[in-house]
Amino acid sequence: MAASDVFLFLLQELLDYFILPEHLSGENQYRCDSCVGLRDAQRSIKILQFPSHLVLTLKQFQFNSKTGQRAKLLHRVQCSENIELHNQPYKLYAAVVHSGSSMDTGHYYTLARDQSLAWHIFNDSTVAPCNPPPWNIPDTPYILFYTRPEEQLQPAVDIT
């Protein structure tokens, strides 16, 4: 894939788009159970209680049903350290990343912050500081872990 084929997406814009109301009309009408017919409608997402931790999974692959093949998408998603979901702020504290240009090869590693909020890379048996985290293609984040700013991060392991 050429560099010109790589798309850049901002995570905040993707979240904002995801929670926009969706108008169901035309060939995409809602099937009403009450009247047993198709009707225009609006689908919306409402968050009744904001979680202390937010886990986002990014779909970084596509499946071609005609050929039966799957491919890794090399779209670059700018993973902001701070995001908002309905005006509730969240701060990035960890990510699972796939390094490799195909779904059939590559390597997974984790990026995480310690109590001092410094970034570390957890790669097999190696732990090393990395500031800032490497968000470069073909290293693509698959799972992002956010927390509300008022939450205290608790270390999962002692890296000293």
Side-chain angles (χ1 to χ4, degrees):
M1 174 176 273
S4 62
D5 294 336
V6 176
F7 298 100
L8 171 64
F9 295 100
L10 301 176
L11 182 61
Q12 184 64 59
E13 289 178 359
L14 293 173
L15 275 174
D16 293 344
Y17 179 77
F18 180 73
I19 62 175
L20 279 177
E22 178 183 2
H23 300 283
L24 306 174
S25 62
E27 291 185 18
N28 192 31
Q29 284 185 316
Y30 172 75
R31 181 170 205 50
C32 176
D33 291 336
S34 300
C35 65
V36 192
L38 295 176
R39 300 283 182 253
D40 287 350
Q42 181 172 297
R43 182 190 69 86
S44 61
I45 295 173
K46 294 191 190 280
I47 299 173
L48 301 177
Q49 183 176 358
F50 289 96
S52 61
H53 295 269
L54 186 63
V55 180
L56 302 176
T57 305
L58 301 178
K59 181 183 170 195
Q60 292 281 27
F61 62 91
Q62 68 181 10
F63 180 76
N64 185 326
S65 59
K66 292 179 182 175
T67 65
Q69 294 183 339
R70 57 192 180 145
K72 180 176 179 179
L73 298 175
L74 294 177
H75 300 161
R76 184 168 176 259
V77 177
Q78 183 175 337
C79 303
S80 306
E81 285 197 32
N82 298 294
I83 61 170
E84 286 189 359
L85 189 60
H86 287 299
N87 296 320
Q88 173 63 56
Y90 285 90
K91 186 170 189 70
L92 182 68
Y93 70 91
V96 176
V97 177
H98 178 260
S99 179
S101 57
S102 92
M103 297 230 356
D104 299 320
T105 62
H107 181 70
Y108 288 92
Y109 61 89
T110 300
L111 298 165
R113 289 177 173 231
D114 62 18
Q115 284 182 305
S116 70
L117 301 181
W119 285 100
H120 296 275
I121 186 167
F122 294 79
N123 195 345
D124 294 335
S125 61
T126 305
V127 177
C130 68
N131 281 316
W135 303 116
N136 300 315
I137 293 198
D139 290 9
T140 52
Y142 274 87
I143 307 172
L144 299 167
F145 299 86
Y146 285 87
T147 188
R148 293 197 313 224
E150 66 271 12
E151 298 291 325
Q152 289 293 325
L153 293 179
Q154 299 299 317
V157 293
D158 184 6
I159 60 172
T160 56

